[in-house]
Amino acid sequence: MKTDRRKFLAATAAFALNTSTGVAGTLFQAKGSKAVNSRDTLDPIIEVLPSAIISNVQTLHRLSGNKPVIAVVKNNGYGLGVDTVAKIIESQPEVMGFAAVKVDECMTLRNAGIRKPVLHLGMATESESAMLASNDVQLSVYDASIQKMLESISRELGKPIRCQCYIDTGMCRMGIPYYRAGSWMEKLAASKAATIEGTFTELSEDADFDKEQARRLIALRSEMKSKGVNTGNLHAASSHGIYHCNEARLDVVRPGIALYGAYPAEAEPERKIAPLSVAFRLVARVLRVEQLRPGDTVSYGRHYTAKENVWVATISAGHADGYLRDAVKGARVLINGATYPVIGAVSASHTIVEIGQEAKVKPGDRAILVGPDHADIHPNNLSSVTGVSVYDVLMHLSAKLPKVVV
Ligand SMILES: *Cc1c(COP(=O)(O)O)cnc(C)c1O
């Protein structure tokens, strides 16, 4: 049969994969066929748990002495979807606004209808900055040459540009060095092209040096005050600072990973300070259940050999979906209430687990690779058994995975 190319193109255009949270419960929508529900797929999905994110916001707010929260939603909302996360927490009174590092993600927030303040933490070209400013996204500024650009954008838009001053207090990554910031800020404050909404720094997550960095930022504020310059809200603490550096909690806090329920450093002591709830699940399905014979080997590289008759199950998610290749170092997968070890090798779209002497799982069963439901699949546990940073466990989740808010 000859394919009608025009019809084919029309059909693909009418096909939508719900990677965000548009229509509740609908995963696929294609012209001429029934919608596919998100409960009715064998492909992996991310389940997002709104009550957990909200309770984490409240926990971090309390822990920081009731300071307003700028929710960091960079890198695809740490894997959960930048707009998915923002829509869930925008109406929380503890949430003052949002921050992301990439231009694209700040614009995604505005395009999704987010109204609270958005701070762009990265750097941008003039045309990007003009687009951000005209969508009321605050710019992070530190470069001495920024003033000319702000003047030109401000002329074009007919309004002052909202900025936050990015101060390098010792991390030596981004921002203007604190010992040169004073005269630069004075000039910026004097310019009609900019309004200073805040002044912030990034901590190096070293217990003693964090305190020194906070002192440097506070000293800058005093210096500015004596010159009649308002620095706006002062902020420094990310998740680690909120947990470990009282002195850095300042006017506002800026958590990322903790919002999603993962602890920034050593999970156990942090859980004792303030427990968080894991706010997502990486869910796949069992596709195949087979019994191996003694001597059979599993997957690429043949790293696993069956010693006796043993059942194994193949699961529909792999490293291309963001699951860790290093999961073979001791990670387990939750199926029907029990966890099973990952064996062989994690391939792009498949992971294999050892079930044991009895076939206790069957094709179609839900397999949870990361989530709140068992200590073995907690993101910090995956991090500790594999040696992979907990940030990678979240941020490497594929942005293409559909998000289902449950
Ligand atoms: C990523 C980031 C944060 C949030 O960090 P977490 O460790 O995830 O809490 C805060 N501030 C800046 C500037 C960042 O880049």
Side-chain angles (χ1 to χ4, degrees), residues 234-277:
L234 223 55
H235 48 107
S238 62
S239 303
H240 189 276
I242 295 172
Y243 270 90
H244 301 289
C245 188
N246 245 321
E247 293 80 353
R249 291 166 186 166
L250 305 174
D251 300 332
V252 183
V253 291
R254 228 173 43 227
I257 197 152
L259 293 172
Y260 312 105
Y263 298 98
E266 293 289 323
E268 282 324 309
E270 288 170 348
R271 197 193 309 274
K272 288 199 183 83
I273 296 169
L276 300 170
S277 309

Side-chain angles (χ1 to χ4, degrees), residues 72 74-75 78 101 121 166 173 200-202 205 236-240 254-258 260 264 391 395:
V72 178
K74 68 189 181 192
N75 303 321
Y78 289 61
V101 178
L121 291 165
Y166 200 160
R173 184 180 70 177
F200 70 100
T201 193
E202 174 84 5
E205 305 186 356
S238 62
S239 303
H240 189 276
R254 228 173 43 227
I257 197 152
Y260 312 105
Y391 285 81
M395 287 184 186

Side-chain angles (χ1 to χ4, degrees), residues 380-394:
N380 289 95
N381 188 60
L382 281 174
S383 164
S384 71
V385 300
T386 59
V388 171
S389 161
V390 71
Y391 285 81
D392 293 1
V393 176
L394 279 80

Side-chain angles (χ1 to χ4, degrees), residues 118-192:
V118 173
L119 169 62
H120 179 233
L121 291 165
M123 293 291 111
T125 62
E126 179 161 342
S127 60
E128 287 175 323
S129 300
M131 175 177 73
L132 291 170
S134 71
N135 283 278
D136 205 22
V137 173
Q138 300 173 12
L139 308 181
S140 291
V141 296
Y142 68 79
D143 195 83
S145 66
I146 195 88
Q147 197 125 341
K148 246 183 82 197
M149 181 170 106
L150 292 175
E151 276 159 17
S152 135
I153 298 173
S154 166
R155 257 197 316 276
E156 188 187 319
L157 301 181
K159 61 175 188 185
I161 307 304
R162 293 180 194 217
C163 296
Q164 297 221 19
C165 297
Y166 200 160
I167 311 298
D168 177 5
T169 55
M171 173 93 159
C172 298
R173 184 180 70 177
M174 293 281 278
I176 182 162
Y178 67 103
Y179 46 84
R180 287 203 275 111
S183 55
W184 169 79
M185 275 184 81
E186 259 187 282
K187 269 190 229 138
L188 187 68
S191 160
K192 295 215 170 21

